[in-house]
């Protein structure tokens, strides 16, 4: 058993009395082997959103898988162990969603306006949480329910439902099967990825470009899937950029806020940036 702590930030009610705030959950990166909810970047992320009037929390999730070496990029990792690490992160993120929904009044959040913000491995967890089902994981990890429990009965026993409004991602992107997204479950997505990402391919490939790891689809493929269902997206493509993009975190949060406000005002668009230059700003018909 492992405690899964979090840090919650929101404007103080003494000076800002809004009772139901849009809520951001930040999920840190680290390749499912390190990183933490209380890293500086994690805390800054929720601080920046709270300063802009949102409620936000950075959460911990269980880490660890058999990398087979000192670094996952050594390409010696056990692929089943990697999939199990993703599965546990989804269990924990779904538990966090149930927890905050159950305590929405206490924290002053709007359970109908929840946004998942994932960085690196955190956006793998967020994407899997949003688009993958128990059956999808059962097909990848035999007998996973027997060994790790079902997706929705781990970490707590709450039964609250919740609604994910959109995904916000930075430092890579990965979807492991294009069929996971359908018209029924599609969401608006904000992407921020380097075109030369060496960890999670920008277009299509395998994590760390290791031949035995599962094929993943990056932001340049998934944005077209989102577009095919006429859902809005914004993609910041850092030309020549690597996995850790050079866009400052506060700039990223500002652009995410623009993206969210466009959703609220029904200003639905396909928007593409190359570095800082906007190259597409197309109204969805």
């Amino acid at each position: 058993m492992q405690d899964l702590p979090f840090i919650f930030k929101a404007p103080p009610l003494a000076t800002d009395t809004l009772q139901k705030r849009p809520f951001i959950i930040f999920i840190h990166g680290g390749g499912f082997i390190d990183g933490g909810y209380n890293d500086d970047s994690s805390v800054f992320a929720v601080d920046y959103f709270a300063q802009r009037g949102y409620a936000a929390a950075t959460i911990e999730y269980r880490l660890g898988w058999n990398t087979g070496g000192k670094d996952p990029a050594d390409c010696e990792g056990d692929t089943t162990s990697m999939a199990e690490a993703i599965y546990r992160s989804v269990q924990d993120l779904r538990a966090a969603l149930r927890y905050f929904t159950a305590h929405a009044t206490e924290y002053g959040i709007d359970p109908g306006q929840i946004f998942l913000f994932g960085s690196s491995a955190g956006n793998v967890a967020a994407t899997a949480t949003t688009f993958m089902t128990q059956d999808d994981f059962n097909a990848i990890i035999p007998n996973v329910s027997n060994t790790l429990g079902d997706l929705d009965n781990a970490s707590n026993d709450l039964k609250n439902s919740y609604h994910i409004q959109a995904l916000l991602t930075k430092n890579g992107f990965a979807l492991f099967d294009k069929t996971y997204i359908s018209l029924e479950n599609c969401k608006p997505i904000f992407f921020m990825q380097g075109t030369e990402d060496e960890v999670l391919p920008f277009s299509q490939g395998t994590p760390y470009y290791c031949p035995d790891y599962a094929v993943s689809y990056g932001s340049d493929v998934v944005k077209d899937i989102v577009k095919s269902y006429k859902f809005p997206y914004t993609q910041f493509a850092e030309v020549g950029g690597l996995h850790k993009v050079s866009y400052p975190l506060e700039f990223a949060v500002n652009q995410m806020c623009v993206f969210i406000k466009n959703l609220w005002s029904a200003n639905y668009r396909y928007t593409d940036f190359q570095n800082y230059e906007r190259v597409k700003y197309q109204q969805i018909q």
Side-chain angles (χ1 to χ4, degrees), residues 128-145:
T129 296
T130 304
F131 299 122
M132 291 184 70
T133 66
Q134 185 70 61
D135 287 343
D136 294 329
F137 275 109
N138 291 347
I140 297 170
I141 313 170
N143 302 312
V144 66
S145 292

Side-chain angles (χ1 to χ4, degrees), residues 73-186:
D74 292 343
C75 299
E76 298 177 7
D78 180 87
T79 55
T80 298
S81 180
M82 180 193 291
E84 289 173 342
I86 297 171
Y87 187 84
R88 289 192 298 270
S89 74
V90 173
Q91 287 179 316
D92 295 343
L93 181 48
R94 288 190 176 197
L97 286 160
R98 296 193 302 271
Y99 170 81
F100 284 110
T101 302
H103 296 272
T105 301
E106 175 186 348
Y107 288 108
I109 66 176
D110 183 350
Q113 291 287 337
I114 297 176
F115 301 84
L116 301 185
F117 175 11
S119 174
S120 190
N123 78 55
V124 175
T127 302
T129 296
T130 304
F131 299 122
M132 291 184 70
T133 66
Q134 185 70 61
D135 287 343
D136 294 329
F137 275 109
N138 291 347
I140 297 170
I141 313 170
N143 302 312
V144 66
S145 292
N146 293 332
T147 57
L148 297 177
D150 289 338
L151 282 178
D152 291 313
N153 66 2
S155 304
N156 63 42
D157 56 4
L158 297 169
K159 304 298 182 184
N160 301 77
S161 60
Y162 49 82
H163 177 71
I164 299 169
Q165 190 78 359
L167 293 182
L168 313 170
T169 67
K170 182 176 182 283
N171 298 328
F173 186 89
L175 182 75
F176 291 100
D177 190 323
K178 289 186 284 187
T179 66
Y180 290 158
I181 301 180
S182 65
L183 178 61
E184 289 70 28
N185 69 6
C186 194

Side-chain angles (χ1 to χ4, degrees), residues 171-228:
N171 298 328
F173 186 89
L175 182 75
F176 291 100
D177 190 323
K178 289 186 284 187
T179 66
Y180 290 158
I181 301 180
S182 65
L183 178 61
E184 289 70 28
N185 69 6
C186 194
K187 304 288 182 184
I189 306 180
F190 179 99
F191 306 95
M192 189 169 267
Q193 185 173 16
T195 62
E196 303 300 322
D197 192 326
E198 76 282 15
V199 176
L200 298 173
F202 180 67
S203 180
Q204 176 179 338
T206 58
Y208 306 100
Y209 293 88
C210 294
D212 293 332
Y213 293 173
V215 172
S216 69
Y217 301 90
S219 63
D220 215 41
V221 171
V222 175
K223 74 171 187 180
D224 289 336
I225 299 173
V226 173
K227 183 179 179 181
S228 72

